[in-house]
Amino acid sequence: MPNKQQNPKNTNATNTTLLSSSCLLPIGNAKLLNNNTTITKTLFYSVETMSLHPNPSLTPPPATPALKPWLNTTATTEPLNPMVLAMHLSDPKSKTLIPNSTLIIMDRTLLLSDELLLRILSKLPNSQQQRNSNSLVCKRWLNLQGRLVRTLRVLDWNFVLSGRLIIRFPNLNHVDLVPGSFTSSVYSSIVVSHRLVSMHVDSAWRIGVEKNLLPVETVDAGLKSLAGGCPNLRKLEVAGCSEAGISTIGAECVTLQELELQRCDDAVLGGVAGCENLQILKIVGCVRGFYESVVSDIGLTILAQGCRRLVKLELVGCEGSFDGVKAIGQCCVMLEELVIVDHRMDDGWLAGVSFCENLKTLRVQSCKVIDGSPGLEEHLGCCEALERVHLQKFQMRDRNGVGALFSVCRNAREIVLQDCWGLDDGTLSLAVVCRRVKLFYVEGCSLLTTEGLESVIEHWKELECLRVVSCKNIKDSDISPELATLFSTLKELKWRPDTKYLFPSDVGVSMGKKGGKFFKRS
Amino acid sequence: MSEIDMAVIKPEMMKPYIWLETSDGSIQQVEQEIAMYCPLICQEIIQKGMGSSKNCAICLPQRVSPATLSLILDYCHFHQVPGRSNKERKSYDEKFIRMDTKRLCELTSAADSLQLKPLVDLTSRALARIIEGKSPEEIREIFHLPDDLTEEEKLEPLKNTTDDPRIRLLNRLYAKKRKELKERERLKNVEAEEEHVDERSVDDLLSFINGNDGDPKGVKTSKNKKKNRRKKEQQQKNSSLKEASEVNKEVNGQNIRHQSAEADRIAETSNSHTEDVFAHREFDDGDIDDGIDPALKEKIDREVEDFARRLNSDWPERMQELLSSGQERKTILFTPNGNSFLRRNA
């Protein structure tokens, strides 16, 4: 009797299982597709930025010039010139030349013009292996393949000094010279990497000693060579140059729009002022342990008066104070994005930010302190046009500085706090002064609690998007009814304070769950 | 000769023809609408009035040989006809470019001189496909190119790319991605099994409870205490999670996100449920044997008695849970999974 009763129930259970399992498959597939897309994007990015080139070649052997004129003659004129052929046949070395001329006569790509061959080569996939293969076929293909290269990362400075870079790649518009600016031990397998710098060193290398840096004169000579050969340069990254070198670049490359300067000091900024069309500038003054260059108020003022068309400015490891920031705000009227990374500015610099009238994005990263002494609140001012504030990898233990920062950015509509150590409820309550917040994204702030978050959010009447990720002190059990009501009014809510507390509470009924656990225990 | 010319001219008077002269001096007649497909010939006809007679034939560029011209005219003849579908055109193009490399180069050059861009694109892609993936020696052999690079020039582009720390980092990221993909595939399989387990346990438990009502036995109270503690803790966690999940439902209001959230939760808890699979299989074996194994049967009986006693002792809480589960059913009915849920109950 009990066996007969069980059979129909088992059948129903099996059918239900199949149905539910089929429902899950599309979701899984969608995830896989997204991952593939991510991988593809990464691939594309890596290909774009990497080109590897060793030492330039020495002077060619003397036999080559003898062949060059005739080859060039045949290459330029598409039909074979019988007169030239006859002249060479009458030469006493006619035996050795006849096979060579036979090869040239049979060259099938002679029918194709340079433009046509460039078009064919540009249809090939842009991979390192394909570029190497095309470059090694013959001289003509080597030259044409070089014309297709627009972006280059230089690993060996001699490639620039010898002028070979210009001959080989005449159409460059983006050159990254930073890896080549550090003398690497070619035979060493020790790599020292920083966020900004990466180099091979030998076992005798010590942090803080600047012996792996190229001399300024060498860098300037390379820049002079580059400026003469690449008039269409748009983006340049360079380390350790002087005012003369960057002035040459500014004079020759009129279309330069993006510039990154490492080991930059006030004198170099005098040369940067000559780049009139510069829009995006990144200045790296000091990287502790690698080099210690100083960018101060004087440099910032010179920069502000010279580059009035700046749209984005990034200051990494720079000194300065209120005067420098104020000068930038007053002169660079079109500045929209300001990035401060690991700053060493004097107290009171924050008040200068309010002079940036059109600033839309303020990003502060990797700072140990914001502003030791911001001054009175009525003197701070306010960025009227500011929309976004991003604070990342930030020490927010200084409440005066945090309060001053939120006061300057009180018109912000988007606040992003990522990995801000020391951010507790009291510090976050200072953000109440920002009354127009629509998007609030907080991640990796482990001291923050649910009460602290709620006390701030309830003041933001225009809040539309809330994202809380990896804040382990924010508990689901502490959510109050008022906060739950507030959540229901949001357009977007991403609530993942601590993933280990997430359970599939919707899946199945409680009886089934207990049954499962019942057997698990036995 | 004159008689032959007379005979030929008569039937051809029906359609308009134009005269084309190739580089070797030969002149031939071509239908005008086919030849007009070439931009260069079109210009010559419209702007200069050439090609209307043998004496003022259109002189084609030197790169166009008679054989190549016939190929180009075949291509034009096919593509100038209106009404053909893209699929037909693509299949024709695929067959058209099946020729050796030399003729392909000649065709590319001739099409370029005639400014016939579609054919240039087609042949360029064909040549690129030939070149792709080949080594320098192979490319030289295919196109009969001279090996005129010096040794220094050959050494320039070669570099060991694995020295770059970025590439190493990229490879590490790829390895992570592959591991994640594999784990997700495993999780899928586990999820299917998990669903199976949950459903069977409910029905089987009910049947056993009904079948063994009159066999109570005594058990130590210490075990009961431990079980009660776990039960209470689970209830607290469940209640807080239910609040959060309900809020999420109301806020999002989108089915797709809800489904993805459920999938995430199932995936995360699948590891803890693997033990259920083994327990359930043992249970299945008991059914198949029809009680032949007395030891296993006694074990199951003890477990069922424990469950029944626990159920009786927690009856008031049980009633509350039933009421709350009823509420859950109402909310779940509005989700897209409502049908499957109803079927489970049935």
Side-chain angles (χ1 to χ4, degrees):
Chain A
M1 284 301 292
N3 292 332
K4 291 182 181 179
Q5 290 177 358
Q6 291 168 18
N7 285 330
K9 293 179 180 177
N10 291 337
T11 307
N12 291 329
T14 306
N15 290 332
T16 310
T17 306
L18 291 176
L19 286 172
S20 60
S21 64
S22 64
C23 293
L24 293 174
L25 286 177
I27 298 171
N29 289 333
K31 290 183 179 178
L32 296 181
L33 290 176
N34 290 332
N35 289 318
N36 290 331
T37 307
T38 305
I39 293 171
T40 306
K41 288 179 180 176
T42 309
L43 275 170
F44 182 76
Y45 171 78
S46 68
V47 170
E48 282 289 310
T49 55
M50 290 180 199
S51 294
L52 308 174
H53 296 279
N55 289 314
S57 67
L58 302 175
T59 54
T64 306
L67 294 175
K68 273 186 175 178
W70 190 61
L71 290 180
N72 290 335
T73 305
T74 55
T76 51
T77 60
E78 289 169 1
L80 286 176
N81 195 337
M83 290 302 297
V84 176
L85 190 60
M87 291 171 63
H88 280 273
L89 286 175
S90 64
D91 194 87
K93 300 181 178 179
S94 60
K95 292 183 178 179
T96 57
L97 285 176
I98 285 175
N100 208 352
S101 62
T102 305
L103 282 179
I104 290 167
I105 288 169
M106 294 184 67
D107 184 352
R108 290 166 177 170
T109 59
L110 278 181
L111 293 171
L112 308 174
S113 62
D114 279 0
E115 288 74 21
L116 204 50
L117 198 51
L118 270 175
R119 183 188 285 182
I120 293 168
L121 293 178
S122 65
K123 289 184 190 297
L124 290 161
N126 191 12
S127 66
Q128 181 70 33
Q129 182 182 356
Q130 190 69 54
R131 285 198 300 268
N132 283 351
S133 294
N134 293 351
S135 300
L136 288 171
V137 170
C138 63
K139 274 184 187 290
R140 188 186 180 201
W141 282 45
L142 178 69
N143 293 327
L144 293 177
Q145 184 68 44
R147 273 196 246 171
L148 293 174
V149 175
R150 293 284 189 275
T151 301
L152 198 68
R153 252 174 90 247
V154 175
L155 303 183
D156 193 326
W157 198 257
N158 287 320
F159 195 57
V160 185
L161 284 178
S162 65
R164 184 68 193 159
L165 173 73
I166 308 307
I167 297 170
R168 179 76 186 275
F169 304 107
N171 284 335
L172 293 169
N173 59 22
H174 173 201
V175 179
D176 182 1
L177 299 171
V178 171
S181 303
F182 298 93
T183 58
S184 296
S185 302
V186 182
Y187 302 104
S188 173
S189 61
I190 303 171
V191 178
V192 175
S193 287
H194 186 268
R195 178 178 74 246
L196 297 160
V197 182
S198 173
M199 64 175 88
H200 289 261
V201 298
D202 51 16
S203 54
W205 185 83
R206 248 190 1 263
I207 198 164
V209 178
E210 298 185 0
K211 74 174 186 180
N212 280 77
L213 310 177
L214 283 182
V216 174
E217 298 78 17
T218 307
V219 178
D220 281 354
L223 285 184
K224 186 175 181 182
S225 172
L226 184 71
C230 296
N232 297 318
L233 205 60
R234 287 180 167 271
K235 184 174 179 182
L236 176 66
E237 287 115 344
V238 67
C241 67
S242 75
E243 179 179 4
I246 204 64
S247 293
T248 305
I249 291 283
E252 300 288 339
C253 307
V254 186
T255 60
L256 190 69
Q257 292 182 352
E258 287 190 51
L259 182 61
E260 176 181 329
L261 289 173
Q262 296 194 20
R263 286 177 66 199
C264 181
D265 53 17
D266 290 344
V268 179
L269 290 175
V272 176
C275 305
E276 296 180 357
N277 291 314
L278 202 61
Q279 295 184 5
I280 298 173
L281 176 61
K282 178 176 179 180
I283 296 171
V284 183
C286 171
V287 177
R288 191 175 298 106
F290 289 85
Y291 47 81
E292 302 265 344
S293 299
V294 173
V295 175
S296 66
D297 277 339
I298 298 170
L300 294 180
T301 305
I302 294 169
L303 173 71
Q305 294 173 354
C307 302
R308 294 173 177 267
R309 302 192 191 183
L310 279 182
V311 172
K312 175 180 177 181
L313 176 63
E314 182 167 353
L315 304 175
V316 182
C318 295
E319 300 187 10
S321 66
F322 170 82
D323 294 321
V325 180
K326 177 183 175 184
I328 288 178
Q330 288 179 331
C331 296
C332 303
V333 184
M334 294 187 282
L335 191 69
E336 291 188 357
E337 184 171 352
L338 179 62
V339 185
I340 307 287
V341 181
D342 192 14
H343 79 84
R344 294 115 191 280
M345 297 201 177
D346 296 341
D347 293 343
W349 70 273
L350 195 55
V353 177
S354 60
F355 287 88
C356 304
E357 295 179 357
N358 286 311
L359 194 68
K360 290 186 169 56
T361 303
L362 177 64
R363 199 188 304 263
V364 187
Q365 296 176 4
S366 304
C367 294
K368 296 178 179 56
V369 65
I370 300 174
D371 195 335
S373 175
L376 298 178
E377 185 165 343
E378 48 265 30
H379 297 333
L380 283 174
C382 172
C383 295
E384 297 291 341
L386 194 71
E387 295 179 1
R388 289 175 286 272
V389 182
H390 290 214
L391 309 178
Q392 295 156 334
K393 291 185 272 289
F394 202 48
Q395 297 265 5
M396 294 184 84
R397 306 180 201 279
D398 170 29
R399 291 203 178 183
N400 286 336
V402 176
L405 181 63
F406 284 132
S407 178
V408 170
C409 309
R410 71 176 72 110
N411 286 337
R413 287 166 173 73
E414 178 181 323
I415 295 183
V416 174
L417 308 176
Q418 275 181 305
D419 300 320
C420 295
W421 304 289
L423 178 70
D424 53 12
D425 294 346
T427 307
L428 184 63
S429 66
L430 299 169
V432 169
V433 72
C434 306
R435 296 285 178 171
R436 303 188 186 179
V437 178
K438 291 187 175 180
L439 183 147
F440 185 53
Y441 178 33
V442 60
E443 174 181 353
C445 304
S446 56
L447 297 180
L448 199 59
T449 64
T450 314
E451 290 84 7
L453 180 68
E454 179 179 356
S455 66
V456 171
I457 289 178
E458 64 186 7
H459 286 90
W460 291 340
K461 303 304 178 186
E462 302 181 15
L463 188 66
E464 295 176 357
C465 299
L466 176 64
R467 301 177 192 160
V468 181
V469 178
S470 300
C471 302
K472 63 184 180 182
N473 234 353
I474 292 179
K475 309 287 186 184
D476 293 343
S477 54
D478 297 335
I479 295 176
S480 64
E482 292 80 14
L483 190 57
T485 304
L486 180 61
F487 284 171
S488 64
T489 62
L490 297 175
K491 292 183 180 178
E492 179 190 347
L493 174 65
K494 185 176 183 180
W495 187 261
R496 297 182 187 172
D498 201 333
T499 54
K500 67 184 179 184
Y501 288 121
L502 290 174
F503 278 101
S505 61
D506 297 332
V507 179
V509 295
S510 56
M511 182 179 288
K513 196 185 305 179
K514 285 190 167 54
K517 291 187 172 63
F518 176 75
F519 281 107
K520 176 182 174 181
R521 215 174 293 114
S522 62
Chain B
M1 289 296 293
S2 63
E3 291 178 357
I4 296 171
D5 288 340
M6 290 293 293
V8 168
I9 286 172
K10 287 179 180 178
E12 290 174 355
M13 292 296 290
M14 301 300 291
K15 286 188 175 180
Y17 277 80
I18 58 170
W19 298 83
L20 301 175
E21 181 179 2
T22 52
S23 55
D24 59 350
S26 66
I27 300 174
Q28 50 181 300
Q29 275 184 302
V30 178
E31 286 189 24
Q32 180 168 333
E33 61 181 0
I34 294 175
M36 291 275 281
Y37 197 76
C38 297
L40 188 72
I41 296 175
C42 190
Q43 285 177 22
E44 295 280 328
I45 293 170
I46 293 176
Q47 295 179 5
K48 303 179 182 178
M50 302 284 288
S52 59
S53 68
K54 190 172 182 179
N55 295 325
C56 57
I58 296 172
C59 295
L60 297 177
Q62 190 157 7
R63 288 184 278 175
V64 184
S65 64
T68 308
L69 180 62
S70 70
L71 284 174
I72 292 175
L73 292 176
D74 287 342
Y75 179 87
C76 296
H77 177 62
F78 183 88
H79 281 279
Q80 59 89 27
V81 176
R84 293 192 195 275
S85 66
N86 286 333
K87 189 176 180 182
E88 287 173 348
R89 293 178 192 275
K90 285 184 179 178
S91 64
Y92 178 84
D93 289 347
E94 191 63 33
K95 294 174 187 174
F96 185 76
I97 54 171
R98 287 180 191 168
M99 56 185 77
D100 59 84
T101 310
K102 184 183 179 189
R103 292 173 72 202
L104 202 54
C105 291
E106 292 171 357
L107 185 61
T108 306
S109 179
D112 185 55
S113 65
L114 292 176
Q115 302 172 20
L116 195 56
K117 193 174 192 312
L119 185 53
V120 174
D121 288 342
L122 177 65
T123 50
S124 296
R125 258 183 279 116
L127 286 168
R129 211 179 305 152
I130 292 170
I131 297 166
E132 183 175 350
K134 299 287 200 305
S135 69
E137 291 77 19
E138 288 170 333
I139 297 173
R140 241 178 260 132
E141 188 175 355
I142 290 169
F143 291 97
H144 294 180
L145 295 166
D147 186 3
D148 55 356
L149 284 170
T150 60
E151 287 298 321
E152 290 81 9
E153 285 169 336
K154 285 183 178 177
L155 287 173
E156 262 187 351
L158 296 178
K159 179 75 175 181
N160 188 3
T161 57
T162 55
D163 284 343
D164 197 318
R166 290 191 190 185
I167 292 180
R168 273 192 248 138
L169 178 62
L170 196 63
N171 291 332
R172 231 177 288 153
L173 292 175
Y174 289 157
K176 284 184 183 177
K177 290 287 180 181
R178 284 191 213 106
K179 286 182 182 177
E180 288 180 5
L181 292 178
K182 288 181 181 177
E183 287 177 0
R184 281 181 184 156
E185 290 178 355
R186 291 175 190 171
L187 294 180
K188 281 184 178 179
N189 299 328
V190 175
E191 285 171 6
E193 292 175 358
E194 178 185 347
E195 292 293 328
H196 188 69
V197 170
D198 287 341
E199 290 303 320
R200 283 172 178 271
S201 62
V202 173
D203 298 330
D204 296 332
L205 284 174
L206 286 174
S207 64
F208 272 90
I209 291 167
N210 294 330
N212 296 308
D213 282 337
D215 290 330
K217 288 184 180 179
V219 179
K220 295 181 182 179
T221 56
S222 62
K223 291 182 181 178
N224 287 331
K225 287 181 182 177
K226 289 181 181 178
K227 292 174 184 176
N228 289 330
R229 288 177 190 171
R230 291 179 186 175
K231 193 175 178 181
K232 289 178 182 177
E233 289 176 357
Q234 288 164 12
Q235 286 177 1
Q236 289 176 1
K237 290 181 180 177
N238 293 335
S239 62
S240 64
L241 287 174
K242 285 175 187 175
E243 290 175 1
S245 64
E246 287 174 1
V247 171
N248 285 326
K249 286 181 193 176
E250 293 172 1
V251 169
N252 291 331
Q254 293 183 9
N255 299 330
I256 296 168
R257 289 180 182 177
H258 185 69
Q259 290 174 3
S260 64
E262 286 186 344
D264 286 333
R265 290 165 184 172
I266 292 165
E268 287 167 356
T269 57
S270 60
N271 292 328
S272 63
H273 282 273
T274 51
E275 296 180 11
D276 298 346
V277 176
F278 297 107
H280 186 71
R281 285 176 183 173
E282 291 177 359
F283 198 76
D284 282 339
D285 292 339
D287 283 337
I288 293 167
D289 289 339
D290 291 335
I292 293 173
D293 190 350
L296 184 61
K297 188 174 182 181
E298 290 178 1
K299 187 178 179 183
I300 293 169
D301 289 344
R302 268 187 259 109
E303 290 173 356
V304 170
E305 287 172 3
D306 292 344
F307 180 78
R309 183 174 300 101
R310 196 154 51 87
L311 191 66
N312 290 328
S313 63
D314 299 325
W315 184 249
E317 296 175 0
R318 190 68 190 160
M319 288 296 294
Q320 290 179 1
E321 288 176 5
L322 287 175
L323 292 176
S324 64
S325 67
Q327 290 177 0
E328 284 182 354
R329 287 179 189 174
K330 290 181 181 178
T331 58
I332 289 168
L333 283 176
F334 296 102
T335 61
N337 293 328
N339 292 329
S340 61
F341 181 77
L342 288 174
R343 289 180 184 177
R344 285 181 201 169
N345 289 334

